[in-house]
């Protein structure tokens, strides 16, 4: 189904526009959407694919200065960090600060910091819902 987005002014960045879109689709649709959005490197965006039976969810964030960040999410929306990822950090981090920094990277802290002002600027903006049928 074609998305008809309602574009509004982006108060956080004069001259820029914003749109929000809820969607429903098969598992993996979020990654396909992200691949299409990445074709425009000047965009800032977030794509969240909720978990479904037998499939973890995913969260994608893109900021022009940071590039793409991707993580698995649990049923309640938390970022899932694997034990191998933690073991790697624990085995290579030389100090507590370095460990904390690497955990922040896994959790997408820099992307959250870069995108948060744009999230707040959208309070009250219209949302378009997309639905997959069949």
């Amino acid at each position: 189904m074609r998305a008809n987005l309602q574009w509004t002014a982006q108060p956080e960045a004069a001259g820029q526009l914003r749109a929000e879109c809820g969607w429903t689709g098969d598992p993996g649709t979020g990654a396909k959407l992200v691949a299409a959005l990445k074709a425009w490197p000047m965009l800032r965006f977030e794509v969240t694919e909720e978990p479904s039976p037998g499939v973890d969810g995913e969260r994608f964030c893109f900021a022009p200065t940071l590039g793409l960040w991707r993580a698995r999410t649990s049923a309640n929306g938390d970022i899932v960090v694997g034990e191998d990822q933690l073991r790697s950090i624990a085995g290579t981090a030389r100090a507590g600060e370095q460990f904390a920094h690497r955990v922040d990277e896994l959790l997408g802290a820099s992307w959250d910091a870069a995108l948060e002002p744009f999230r707040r600027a959208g309070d009250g903006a219209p949302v378009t819902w997309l639905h997959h049928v069949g």
Side-chain angles (χ1 to χ4, degrees), residues 76-91:
N76 67 348
D78 286 344
I79 301 303
V80 176
V81 176
E83 73 178 82
D84 288 342
Q85 292 171 295
L86 290 175
R87 287 182 197 281
S88 174
I89 291 173

Side-chain angles (χ1 to χ4, degrees), residues 8-18 44 113-123:
T8 59
Q10 170 53 269
E12 185 62 25
Q16 294 186 11
L17 300 173
R18 62 172 281 110
R44 289 174 186 85
L115 295 172
E116 184 60 28
F118 295 93
R119 292 178 190 137
R120 282 194 313 268
D123 288 344

Side-chain angles (χ1 to χ4, degrees), residues 37-120:
L37 291 171
K38 274 183 53 183
W40 296 302
M42 75 295 262
L43 294 180
R44 289 174 186 85
F45 63 84
E46 293 181 87
V47 173
T48 301
E49 183 171 304
E50 300 295 335
S52 56
V55 181
D56 288 333
E58 288 190 286
R59 183 168 166 232
F60 304 84
C61 296
F62 185 87
T65 58
L66 297 171
L68 181 66
W69 173 82
R70 177 183 191 173
R72 290 183 309 134
T73 59
S74 66
N76 67 348
D78 286 344
I79 301 303
V80 176
V81 176
E83 73 178 82
D84 288 342
Q85 292 171 295
L86 290 175
R87 287 182 197 281
S88 174
I89 291 173
T92 58
R94 299 186 184 269
E97 256 184 58
Q98 188 180 23
F99 183 86
H101 175 73
R102 303 250 327 261
V103 169
D104 277 349
E105 285 177 336
L106 284 176
L107 298 177
S110 295
W111 284 263
D112 278 336
L115 295 172
E116 184 60 28
F118 295 93
R119 292 178 190 137
R120 282 194 313 268

Side-chain angles (χ1 to χ4, degrees), residues 2-43:
R2 181 182 170 92
N4 291 313
L5 300 176
Q6 222 175 348
W7 293 95
T8 59
Q10 170 53 269
E12 185 62 25
Q16 294 186 11
L17 300 173
R18 62 172 281 110
E20 292 185 33
C21 179
W23 57 277
T24 303
D26 295 328
T29 303
K32 291 176 184 176
L33 179 57
V34 168
L37 291 171
K38 274 183 53 183
W40 296 302
M42 75 295 262
L43 294 180

